[in-house]
RNA sequence: GAGCCCGUAGCUCAGUAGGUAGAGCAACGCCCUUUUAAGGCGUGGGUCCUGGGUUCGAAUCCCAGCGGGCUCACCA
């Protein structure tokens, strides 16, 4: 820790204060303090009590908390205690706490933890306050707290010193903008997890934990982190998904399983991506993707009610109604969001035939190219569209890949209200079951809220021979340089060979769902300790 | 990975026609027995992110680096 002169000075002064506090008969770092109430309990129980109520039935309390404000007034003073995200004012006067007690009070700093006992009253201005009779010193803040009104605003410091962020940036600080009410966000995140567990537990799913360290990183298309086990001299991957293990469990007869845990993907960081993120995955035997569409809507509604008590949520200044869902096939979504700028929308038939789509994209390319005045947005779209069109024309990518790319380019950003996008190309879905009537398409859906993907689900491919073929197709793509193509997993094929019943499974990004439910604009605001590049150490510090 | 923006006291921020730095809070000392972003008087505190360059002179202009934010690309 590199300290400034200011911080060293404050630290030294406060060490002296601790000595003085000990000289007053207090312990420097006592082991405990018995309270009668939490601050939250006092607020909920006595917030409506009048001054007369409090006077006639005198309520003695012992409470503790961190001092967040001190307003000294000669031989008396007010201070504000904070505990559990709740604040309560205390009033200390010399004639009530005695000479020693008041000496102690004067040695307190903002940030210190104390315990007080006394009785409740209302001040002249009507604020519920503890009239203090004894003060017990509990712990000292050896560093100065951030500015009391604005809190800790520097985004980098908030992430690096989340411990400060958490006690400074609460809804109780008037200057704190609602979107960085940090404590509340993480309380809600915990409620999301609890609600999900409750939902699945009630429906006969069992919660399981599958390996985070895997010899083959499967179940998704992503670059993994690698690690090594010394005793076995074994290279391992941090998992990118639990999927293949969870389906092995369904083979084993655990018909309904879920897991809530971290996935690790060695890819870029953005407002929607952190290298480690939390995923719910669940599998249900004898269900298909239609069943999971219904379940998804029900689950998200349930979680929203548990967390927020309502189905609407404000995200990026848009009111989102989690009670109303739209369902669109991927091809319909492309047709719906096809921009006029590219001419008339393609037809379903054109989107299902490589040759016809190639012609259609070439036409669109020409129409867009010949338009004289392009907006920046159109230029951006065009800039992404052109390579897609060329990939199809030069047969570098299959129809399926092109469809998926077109969908992401044209439709994804529009999916603000809850939308289920179903029927994906087989080429981008190596673990999904084909549609009986359209073998190039699979029974898969993703759902979108706020313009990004929150979940991915499908009827699970359970034919071991077909699965082997799909893995081989993936290996071929890997050969062609796609580092994220799926690896072969022989044991998974073996597991399928013992018989996986018809099963559907789904993964839901917990961080992103929490963003939607709390209005957080960055995934880093819903992860307590998001990954940051460490500050480069100075030579002096490295030598320590 | 690319583009744009930011980095000044512990914190929140001012400070450019380039003249070697300010406020509020916090800290320290004093006054104040119903305040609440309490108030009053006084004091201390800064490698202006780092390293180069231009200049008589750089927080300010230029270059490189470090850290961060946003947008885009990849992905969930």
């Amino acid at each position: 820790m590199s300290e400034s002169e200011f911080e060293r000075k404050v630290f030294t002064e406060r060490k002296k204060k601790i000595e003085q506090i000990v000289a007053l008969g207090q312990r420097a770092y006592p082991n405990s303090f018995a309270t009668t109430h939490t601050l939250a309990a006092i607020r909920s129980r006595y917030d409506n009590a009048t001054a007369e109520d409090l006077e006639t039935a005198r309520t003695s309390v012992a409470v503790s908390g961190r001092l967040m404000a001190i307003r000294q007034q000669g031989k008396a003073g007010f201070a504000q205690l904070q505990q559990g995200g709740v604040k309560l004012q205390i009033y200390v006067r010399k004639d009530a706490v005695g000479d020693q007690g008041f000496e102690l009070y004067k040695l307190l700093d903002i940030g210190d933890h104390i315990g007080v006992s006394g009785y409740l009253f209302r001040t002249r201005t009507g604020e519920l306050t503890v009239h203090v009779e004894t003060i017990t010193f509990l712990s000292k803040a050896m560093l100065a707290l951030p500015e009391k009104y604005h809190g800790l605003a520097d985004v980098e410091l908030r992430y690096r010193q989340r411990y400060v962020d958490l006690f400074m940036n609460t809804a109780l600080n008037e200057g704190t903008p609602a979107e960085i009410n940090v404590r509340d966000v993480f309380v809600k995140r915990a409620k999301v997890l609890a609600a999900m567990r409750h939902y699945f537990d009630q429906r006969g799913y069992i919660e399981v934990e599958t390996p985070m360290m895997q010899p083959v990183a499967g179940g998704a298309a992503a670059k993994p982190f690698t690690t090594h086990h010394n005793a076995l001299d074994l290279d391992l991957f941090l998992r990118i998904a639990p999927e293949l293990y969870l389906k092995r469990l369904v083979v084993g007869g655990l018909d309904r399983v879920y897991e809530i845990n971290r996935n690790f993907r060695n890819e870029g960081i953005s407002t929607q991506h952190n290298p480690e993120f939390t995923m719910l995955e669940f599998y249900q035997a004898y269900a298909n993707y239609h069943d999971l569409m219904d379940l998804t809507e029900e689950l998200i509604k349930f979680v929203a009610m548990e967390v927020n008590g309502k189905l609407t949520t404000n995200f990026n200044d848009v009111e989102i109604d989690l009670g109303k869902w739209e369902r669109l096939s991927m091809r319909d979504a492309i047709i719906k969001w096809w921009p006029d700028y590219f001419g008339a929308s393609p037809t379903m038939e054109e989107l299902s035939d490589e040759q016809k789509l190639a012609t259609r994209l070439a036409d669109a390319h020409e129409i867009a190219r010949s338009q004289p005045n392009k907006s920046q947005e159109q230029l951006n779209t065009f800039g992404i569209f052109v390579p897609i069109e060329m990939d199809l024309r030069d047969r570098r990518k299959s129809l399926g890949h092109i469809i998926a790319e077109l969908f992401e380019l044209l439709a994804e950003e529009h999916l603000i209200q809850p939308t289920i996008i179903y029927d994906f190309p087989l080429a981008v879905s190596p673990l999904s079951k084909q549609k009986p009537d359209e073998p190039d398409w699979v029974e898969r859906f993703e759902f979108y809220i706020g313009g990004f993907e929150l979940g991915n689900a499908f009827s699970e491919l359970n034919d071991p021979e077909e699965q082997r073929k799909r893995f081989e197709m993936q290996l071929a793509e890997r050969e062609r340089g796609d580092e994220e193509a799926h690896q072969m997993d022989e044991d998974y094929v073996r597991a399928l060979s013992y018989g996986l019943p018809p099963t559907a499974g789904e993964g839901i990004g917990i961080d992103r769902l929490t963003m939607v439910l709390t209005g957080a604009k960055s995934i880093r605001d819903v992860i307590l300790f998001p990954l940051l590049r460490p500050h480069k150490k100075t030579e002096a510090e490295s030598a320590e």
Side-chain angles (χ1 to χ4, degrees), chain A residues 261-432:
Chain A
N261 227 322
R262 228 66 66 82
N263 288 346
F264 305 87
R265 299 189 184 175
N266 205 340
E267 289 170 355
I269 292 175
S270 79
T271 50
Q272 286 157 34
H273 300 86
N274 194 63
E276 56 179 303
F277 64 102
T278 301
M279 182 101 131
L280 158 74
E281 275 205 23
F282 60 93
Y283 289 81
Q284 180 177 335
Y286 316 112
N288 65 24
Y289 76 145
H290 289 295
D291 299 316
L292 293 196
M293 289 183 204
D294 296 339
L295 185 154
T296 299
E297 294 186 14
E298 189 183 52
L299 171 67
I300 299 301
K301 284 186 233 180
F302 175 75
V303 172
M305 287 305 293
E306 291 289 303
V307 172
N308 287 331
K310 57 179 184 178
L311 291 176
T312 53
T313 182
N314 193 285
F315 189 73
N316 277 334
D317 300 322
V318 179
E319 187 84 348
I320 291 176
D321 186 351
L322 299 171
K324 283 169 64 182
W325 290 65
E326 189 175 359
R327 296 183 187 184
L328 274 178
S329 76
M330 182 176 274
R331 282 166 287 182
D332 283 330
I334 293 171
I335 291 167
K336 178 170 178 180
W337 299 107
W338 185 266
D340 297 343
Y341 170 67
F342 282 134
S345 297
T347 62
M348 194 73 167
E349 195 193 348
E350 285 170 325
L351 289 176
S352 308
D353 182 293
E354 191 161 312
Q355 228 21 70
K356 286 178 182 154
L357 183 61
T359 308
R360 196 64 191 65
L361 292 189
D363 291 349
H365 186 158
E366 193 50 41
I367 291 166
R369 196 189 60 78
S370 62
Q371 285 189 12
N373 301 316
K374 298 182 179 68
S375 69
Q376 188 55 50
E377 195 185 335
Q378 289 173 338
L379 282 172
N380 290 344
T381 305
F382 195 56
I384 303 166
F385 173 84
V386 171
I388 296 177
E389 195 253 321
M390 285 169 61
D391 278 344
L392 183 61
R393 190 200 310 156
D394 301 342
R395 305 186 72 84
R396 275 194 294 270
K397 284 186 180 159
S398 69
L399 176 73
H401 284 101
I402 298 297
I403 292 289
E405 288 184 21
L406 282 177
F407 165 74
E408 281 170 25
L409 169 65
L410 302 176
E412 183 170 2
E413 63 181 305
H414 299 290
L415 307 178
I416 307 296
Q417 297 298 328
T419 308
I420 286 172
I421 299 292
Y422 62 89
D423 290 357
F424 278 53
L426 179 140
V428 296
S429 313
L431 303 165
S432 312

Side-chain angles (χ1 to χ4, degrees), chain A residues 45-69:
Chain A
R45 183 144 171 222
Y46 298 104
D47 261 352
N48 294 321
T50 65
E52 293 72 35
D53 294 340
L54 295 170
E55 223 167 290
T56 45
R58 191 181 223 199
T59 309
S60 293
V61 299
V63 296
S64 62
R66 184 193 287 275
L67 281 169
M68 294 303 285

